[in-house]
Amino acid sequence: MLTLATTTPGEPEIFASVQGEGAAAGRACTFVRLSRCNLACEWCDTAYTWRFEGDNRPHRDGLDFDRSANQITLDEADVAAQIAAFGRRRLVVTGGEPLLQAPALARMLTLLPGLHVEVETNATVAPPALLDALVHQWNVSPKLAHSGNPRDLALRPEALRAFAADPRATFKFVIASEHDLAEVTAIIANYGIPGQRVWLMPEGRDSATIRARSVWLADYCSKNELNFSDRLHIHLFGDTRGT
């Protein structure tokens, strides 16, 4: 069984759109958003996947969510059938943190042969071999200090080393201010991550914020031979579920 986020109560967040971030930005994809996360980013734009009633970890909105309205558990075959119905060749598994459900996710992916599979992860958990063999692209997003997570929870050396050594893994860092750049530089150096596999993306849940931060961040990427990532889905659809 897989535990998914919902768009509305009882409706799993499985949808077709374009990838809005990172190395595959602009590609047509089917998305499935899994629920639950082991981190709690203060600026998280999918807090409905983890900040349920009774969870007092800090979040800038100060909201909590009813678990029964924002989570649904489905059989892996049911999830696979809903994904297949969209007829897209590319699948993005996002969250929450998908690797918290690695065994069930692997069982689901075995039912979808022929799809190009991207999995988005915060890099705190190394993927088990059965799942790893089914993934074509790891979208790795280590969380920096401004996320509010304790460093020993957010940056796990064993997992980061494994992803850094894997050519399928691209790294996406969320940048809120120029102060974050020194931390990114240190992580890249410590783990030997090639610059061509690094994307820097402005934090923001509205176009105005993203555009303002993009000006100096794109310039930094150009000067340091790193990749810049926009948040295309925010410009197209706003900060909404199922997009």
Side-chain angles (χ1 to χ4, degrees):
M1 303 292 281
L2 280 167
T3 302
L4 288 78
T6 61
T7 50
T8 58
E11 293 294 326
E13 194 169 356
I14 303 172
F15 60 97
S17 189
V18 294
Q19 173 63 283
E21 303 173 350
R27 296 284 190 93
C29 307
T30 300
F31 289 80
V32 56
R33 186 178 301 281
L34 302 185
S35 190
R36 299 166 44 204
C37 193
N38 57 340
L39 297 182
C41 298
E42 293 182 2
W43 39 257
C44 178
D45 57 4
T46 57
Y48 59 90
T49 65
W50 59 269
R51 201 174 191 275
F52 302 116
E53 293 173 347
D55 189 332
N56 296 317
R57 290 177 293 177
H59 188 269
R60 65 183 175 192
D61 292 340
L63 300 175
D64 53 24
F65 297 87
D66 177 71
R67 185 184 295 270
S68 63
N70 290 278
Q71 261 188 4
I72 186 170
T73 301
L74 298 174
D75 183 80
E76 294 95 337
D78 187 0
V79 178
Q82 293 191 48
I83 291 167
F86 283 102
R88 300 287 177 91
R89 293 188 296 270
R90 200 174 192 100
L91 172 66
V92 178
V93 183
T94 187
E97 173 46 57
L99 284 173
L100 297 182
Q101 302 185 60
L105 178 56
R107 291 193 295 270
M108 188 269 285
L109 291 177
T110 62
L111 302 174
L112 294 166
L115 289 188
H116 181 98
V117 177
E118 297 181 31
V119 175
E120 304 194 333
T121 178
N122 60 26
T124 59
V125 181
L130 183 59
L131 175 60
D132 190 49
L134 298 167
V135 175
H136 299 88
Q137 180 176 316
W138 291 103
N139 299 334
V140 182
S141 184
K143 304 310 177 192
L144 306 178
H146 71 86
S147 71
N149 293 289
R151 183 179 178 85
D152 61 338
L153 293 180
L155 300 178
R156 307 305 296 267
E158 182 178 354
L160 284 168
R161 279 194 292 268
F163 283 121
D166 189 339
R168 296 171 299 163
T170 65
F171 285 75
K172 180 183 67 186
F173 294 92
V174 177
I175 306 298
S177 77
E178 295 181 71
H179 298 294
D180 303 325
L181 298 172
E183 188 177 359
V184 171
T185 299
I187 292 171
I188 291 172
N190 287 345
Y191 295 98
I193 304 170
Q196 65 266 30
R197 287 167 47 203
V198 175
W199 273 256
L200 303 187
M201 182 181 76
E203 190 277 320
R205 295 185 297 179
D206 61 83
S207 285
T209 301
I210 293 168
R211 291 302 188 208
R213 290 173 173 166
S214 294
V215 174
W216 53 263
L217 184 56
D219 182 61
Y220 178 86
C221 289
S222 175
K223 290 176 179 176
N224 291 274
E225 296 190 90
L226 303 174
N227 301 292
F228 171 80
S229 174
D230 206 342
R231 304 198 74 203
L232 180 61
H233 54 296
I234 297 293
H235 301 309
L236 294 175
F237 310 112
D239 182 20
T240 55
R241 303 192 195 192
T243 56

